[in-house]
Amino acid sequence: MKLRNHLKKYANLLLRKGVNLQEGQELLLSAPIDAKDLVEEIVTIAYKDIKSGRVHINWNYGKLTRISFDYANEDVLLNIPEYSIMKYREVLDNGAAMLSIIASDPKLLAGVDPSLLAKVSKENAIKMKPISTEVMSGKVRWSLGAMPSEAWAKTVFPNVEPEEAVEKLWEYIFACTRVDQDDPIKAWNEHEDHLNNKKQFLNEKKFVKLHYKAPGTDLTVELPKNHIWVAGPKIATDDKSFIPNIPTEEVFTLNKRNGVNGTLSSTMPLNLNGNLIEDFSFVFENGKVVDFDAKVGKESLAKLLEMDEGVKYLGEVALVPVDSPISNLNTIFYNTLYDENASCHFALGKAYPYTLKDGTEMSEDQLLEAGANISLTHVDFMVGSKELSIDAYDSEGNVTPIFRNGNWA
Ligand code: ZN
Ligand code: ZN
């Protein structure tokens, strides 16, 4: 594998397809220090080929986060400085796009007090709310891509040497993102056509209810009037397209906030702030989680569910066949960006307003009124498997099988 050459293609894909960076446009790039080679390629393409505006960089280093949780006074963790928010404010006012590179460590915060973690992430979410609301409303073109950290690679491939694990994870990332193909941009255009077909089918049908059946799962999910199925590229308010997640295989919409009933079991571990939650399940009544269990990490899950009222309700319904390029690798990535694109999933918490007609122009009260969930957070978890079947109901009660044995029916 020619890593450097692939890094160039990856950087190009993230800029051209991901955020669709334009001449003169600024970019806010968040990246771990491990990503320096990739960042070099991104900045080179931005300035040299795209003639972009300034590229602002937010470097991060996971170990420092761990050190601060281990040793810093609580008020250090809870007082998020105003300037860190103002930085976002200023660059977004300049019309910047936002690109984030993640190199997660699934065990980074293992053992940290879950209630402290929950408090800090809630504080962060409150402080960042004006920014995240703007980003989620479609005014900002943004994208997210991943790269291996040694810790992540060792979690995914525990039986090989660290160096080999990193190389293997890069290979998997390049396969999933189609960067290993001759012309990744062309491959993405074809992939987008495929996603568009599914999306159009679902939007034309205007289903009112989905029924999920799998071992440990028997769940009905109502869809609100005017829901929109979304997939692949999105159109920002400036009419330019962008792809928020690379890779992306999902077709998704929102559920009706109060319209979820039954039992739901996870099929993959959830990495929540560096804590793994495994073999968990929920019972829903009129949309709300009324009972839950987890074989591992139950306390972390309990803390998550205490964050606010909205986190006890679902906000996203996503369909992904089990034969997507990612799931065909038969690997648990312990990383939501990858695992959610290998599996049907839901999210606890906030619904994306753009999955509802005119949703991006609605106030929180109007969104609630229309059936969309509101929360400070949005946490995906996986429910897909070869044993999952989904039936869809239209307003006249006609049934259409849409998933059988984990794949599109
Ligand atoms: Zn999703
Ligand atoms: Zn999601």
Side-chain angles (χ1 to χ4, degrees), residues 245 250 252 316-320 336 340-341 343 345-347 352 378 380:
N245 289 344
E250 60 176 341
F252 66 100
E316 179 191 349
V317 182
L319 303 175
V320 184
T336 301
E340 77 163 337
N341 283 301
S343 174
H345 57 273
F346 291 100
Y352 289 105
H378 175 103
D380 293 274

Side-chain angles (χ1 to χ4, degrees), residues 336-395:
T336 301
L337 176 61
Y338 275 71
D339 289 331
E340 77 163 337
N341 283 301
S343 174
C344 281
H345 57 273
F346 291 100
L348 290 165
K350 187 173 167 59
Y352 289 105
Y354 56 76
T355 52
L356 187 69
K357 189 169 171 270
D358 301 326
T360 56
E361 275 122 58
M362 290 182 189
S363 67
E364 289 199 344
D365 286 343
Q366 288 169 320
L367 284 166
L368 280 171
E369 183 70 20
N373 191 25
I374 302 290
S375 169
L376 285 168
T377 194
H378 175 103
V379 179
D380 293 274
F381 62 95
M382 318 317 153
V383 302
S385 73
K386 287 203 172 85
E387 291 150 309
L388 174 67
S389 65
I390 307 172
D391 285 333
Y393 292 76
D394 67 16
S395 55

